[in-house]
Amino acid sequence: ARPVAGSPEVAETFNQVRRSVLSRQRDALRLKHDIAAMRARMRQEQARPGTDFDLKQDPGGLTDMEFLVQYWVLACAHEHPQLLDWPDNIRNLEGLMAVGVIPDATGTFLADTYRDFRHRLHRLTLEGKPGRIAPAEAEPARGKVRALWNEVLGEAPASALSAAR
């Protein structure tokens, strides 16, 4: 959340509170667990029939990349408060690379894949079509995002999913 209109004084106070909350040191294991559980719940609630790849919601898609970025920001903002300067994933990835949280190759891959999937989604939306493509069109990028997700966050255990409800 960021202020976009209204009193500059209220906006500044809000930004101070926002930065204070987001830059708190967190238990990395609990954060991983909570994020994986939240994402597992979203996947379950938003599951759709069909074999096409949903660019936003399916494993390896845009939402997984967004969750990875937000995990790294929340996990590391107490050491690198500059990670809280930007509201978008691309600049967050650039910041994460700049402070050494993620390797340049990982950040570049995620930024390029995010732009590609977002571009495809926008094009389909403008054409009045659902944001789904043939699975082969998303590979190998989708597979790499899924592998990165599993490496960084793993999957939430069933107990975490039921606790998140």
Side-chain angles (χ1 to χ4, degrees):
R2 295 177 192 274
V4 294
S7 162
E9 294 81 18
V10 172
E12 181 56 33
T13 300
F14 176 83
N15 281 329
Q16 289 174 4
V17 170
R18 178 187 157 280
R19 287 183 81 85
S20 173
V21 169
L22 294 177
S23 64
R24 290 183 185 147
Q25 187 166 3
R26 289 167 170 75
D27 177 298
L29 253 136
R30 177 156 178 97
L31 182 61
K32 282 182 182 191
H33 178 274
D34 290 349
I35 287 176
M38 186 184 317
R39 186 65 182 118
R41 181 177 176 190
M42 286 176 67
R43 284 185 184 136
Q44 183 178 44
E45 291 175 359
Q46 296 173 345
R48 297 179 195 141
T51 57
D52 285 347
F53 173 64
D54 185 307
L55 288 157
K56 183 148 181 75
Q57 296 301 334
D58 280 349
L62 290 163
T63 301
D64 281 1
M65 289 183 266
E66 292 163 352
F67 269 65
L68 281 166
V69 169
Q70 292 307 309
Y71 163 74
W72 284 316
V73 169
L74 287 172
C76 301
H78 68 282
E79 292 177 1
H80 306 287
Q82 65 270 37
L83 293 174
L84 301 173
D85 290 347
W86 305 110
D88 61 280
N89 289 297
I90 300 301
R91 287 185 290 182
N92 279 327
L93 285 165
E94 291 168 354
L96 290 162
M97 289 185 291
V99 299
V101 171
I102 60 174
D104 288 354
T106 298
T108 299
F109 161 73
L110 285 171
D112 290 347
T113 303
Y114 189 85
R115 284 185 192 103
D116 177 47
F117 284 10
R118 179 66 60 196
H119 173 78
R120 290 174 188 229
L121 182 60
H122 288 165
R123 185 171 24 105
L124 290 166
T125 300
L126 289 172
E127 294 172 1
K129 297 177 182 175
R132 302 177 77 81
I133 61 174
E137 290 181 53
E139 293 298 339
R142 176 188 184 198
K144 288 182 182 179
V145 172
R146 291 177 76 182
L148 186 59
W149 175 277
N150 288 330
E151 176 187 328
V152 174
L153 294 169
E155 290 299 328
S159 62
L161 180 56
S162 59
R165 289 185 181 162

